[in-house]
Amino acid sequence: MEAILLVGGQGTRLRPLTISTPKPLLPTAGVPFLAHQLARARAAGVDRIVFATSYRAEMFEAAFGTRAHGVDLVYVSEDEPLGTGGAIRNAAGALTCGPDEPVLILNGDILSGHDVPAQVALHEEAGAAVTLHLTPVDDPSRFGCVPTDGEGRVTAFLEKTSHPVTDQINAGCYVFRRKAIDAIPEDEVVSVERETFPDLIESGAVVMGYVESGYWLDVGTPEAFVQGSRDLVLGRLASSAMPGEPGERLALERSRVSPGAVVRGGTAVGRGAVVEAGATVIGSVLLDEAFVAEGATVRDSVLSRGARVGPGAVLDGVVLGDGAVVGPGNELRGGVRVWPGIKLPPTALRFSTDA
Ligand code: GTP
């Protein structure tokens, strides 16, 4: 089966992490985020993937080449971002399958353990134009929701509301019949969520909902990105792309964790990163060459390449951009983001609320 991977977004909610690296390439549990998706796609029977790129397009081919994790890879770039539907239509030019074949479409920022072959099987049984993975969430008011009827047919795409009619939301993984992709207008900005799916339902086409409540996470925010990495390291979602066994921490080559440091809770320690004695790092992501000095505490945070945390500093739910430095004794909490290269002098900040 062929697939299209949507990876052209700017990832604005994840800045400053996405200034230098597109969201789907951010190191997650030791490898680019997409490596986990490629491995899972392969396991689900996908043998060829078309990457729909736009933002920093050239970095994708540089990262994966023409074959990775047992999947052949092709790259199609948009000069101007075409939105999710326009990107799918644009990428379809590189598909080789026939008009009635199923094509899997994946958002490039979703970690999902759902049963893709079961979703494809439902699609084929129903003779659907499109079959969407829907996942139940605790608080559907934060999402658009997608009700289905007794036969599993999608009846509407509803905007965010304080009184949602269902807890099912669009989980960002679709099976399209090839000819339903070819029917999307060419060279236009189109949103599948706002235009293609509602139009298909309106026209009476069969749009099915495949509801499954397994592991699912949209890693679009810093909190979710840290959670995704943590869950992979801890083995809450199995991934054959992870370069090591699941456990309390994943330490990559050339990293140095002092025997006198506490590093646990699914922390990833990047290449050449250092954690000194007396430091505590819990449930965090330390990218390559990051440095945590003696006595510092880092929890639920991301330290980008070469970022440094000084002695005794405390970080909780913080993002440090590439090369950012937090001087000794600072205390940063609740959503603080330090831009690349910024240097906070000793004890410049003691506390901050949600950004
Ligand atoms: P935010 O800016 O933080 O909302 O992130 P995003 O840019 O990734 O947007 P969003 O999470 O809504 O996108 C969902 C998926 O579609 C992601 O995998 C994006 O990479 C992808 N995507 C969004 N817009 C485009 C586009 O115009 N072209 C392509 N090729 N992909 C897109």
Side-chain angles (χ1 to χ4, degrees):
M1 184 169 51
E2 290 182 296
I4 294 173
L5 200 43
L6 291 170
V7 293
Q10 301 219 353
T12 47
R13 289 167 297 157
L14 266 179
R15 283 187 188 153
L17 299 175
T18 46
I19 292 174
S20 56
T21 308
K23 173 167 57 175
L25 293 181
L26 287 173
T28 312
V31 287
F33 179 79
L34 282 185
H36 303 290
Q37 275 193 331
L38 295 184
R40 296 196 72 88
R42 177 73 198 118
V46 171
D47 51 16
R48 187 166 180 275
I49 294 183
V50 182
F51 278 57
T53 64
S54 176
Y55 177 65
R56 295 192 172 273
E58 68 296 341
M59 291 182 75
F60 290 91
E61 189 160 7
F64 291 109
T66 54
R67 191 170 167 81
H69 298 278
V71 185
D72 290 327
L73 306 174
V74 182
Y75 302 85
V76 176
S77 187
E78 297 138 51
D79 298 332
E80 294 295 327
L82 291 171
T84 46
I88 293 170
R89 177 68 184 89
N90 192 53
L95 293 172
T96 60
C97 64
D100 285 314
E101 299 288 314
V103 178
L104 188 69
I105 314 281
L106 299 161
N107 274 5
D109 53 1
I110 301 291
L111 262 185
S112 176
H114 82 283
D115 186 345
V116 174
Q119 182 182 354
V120 177
L122 173 68
H123 177 80
E124 295 294 19
E125 277 158 30
V130 181
T131 301
L132 297 91
H133 172 211
L134 306 178
T135 188
V137 292
D138 292 339
D139 180 9
S141 65
R142 294 192 298 118
F143 302 87
C145 60
V146 185
T148 42
D149 68 14
E151 268 113 53
R153 270 180 83 152
V154 173
T155 53
F157 263 76
L158 304 171
E159 296 294 327
K160 284 177 200 168
T161 155
S162 48
H163 302 291
V165 296
T166 169
D167 63 355
Q168 296 170 182
I169 64 155
N170 172 8
C173 173
Y174 322 119
V175 183
F176 267 74
R177 201 160 296 282
R178 165 76 192 265
K179 61 188 177 204
I181 299 179
D182 293 337
I184 298 172
E186 222 176 339
D187 297 327
E188 281 179 30
V189 177
V190 180
S191 157
V192 279
E193 300 87 348
R194 286 190 298 279
E195 295 165 77
T196 310
F197 297 146
D199 288 355
L200 279 168
I201 293 165
E202 176 84 3
S203 72
V206 179
V207 177
M208 296 296 291
Y210 171 76
V211 184
E212 198 193 299
S213 59
Y215 184 96
W216 182 84
L217 185 69
D218 171 350
V219 300
T221 62
E223 300 74 31
F225 172 68
V226 177
Q227 187 188 332
S229 177
R230 192 166 52 217
D231 288 347
L232 286 160
V233 172
L234 288 169
R236 289 180 183 151
L237 178 69
S239 171
S240 62
M242 202 169 80
E245 291 303 310
E248 285 292 316
R249 70 188 191 209
L250 174 72
L252 299 185
E253 61 270 19
R254 295 187 294 101
S255 62
R256 196 158 51 77
V257 175
S258 163
V262 174
V263 178
R264 59 179 173 80
T267 294
V269 187
R271 291 169 192 81
V274 173
V275 184
E276 288 194 327
T280 301
V281 183
I282 297 176
S284 294
V285 180
L286 273 47
L287 298 187
D288 295 355
E289 315 293 339
F291 180 87
V292 181
E294 56 183 339
T297 301
V298 176
R299 184 185 285 273
D300 300 342
S301 296
V302 186
L303 275 53
S304 301
R305 261 178 301 271
R308 299 178 74 83
V309 178
V314 175
L315 272 62
D316 189 346
V318 170
V319 175
L320 300 187
D322 291 349
V325 177
V326 176
N330 283 287
E331 191 177 323
L332 275 54
R333 295 184 191 273
V336 170
R337 302 180 192 202
V338 183
W339 245 240
I342 297 290
K343 296 183 170 52
L344 289 179
T347 60
L349 276 179
R350 264 266 170 257
F351 176 71
S352 182
T353 52
D354 278 1

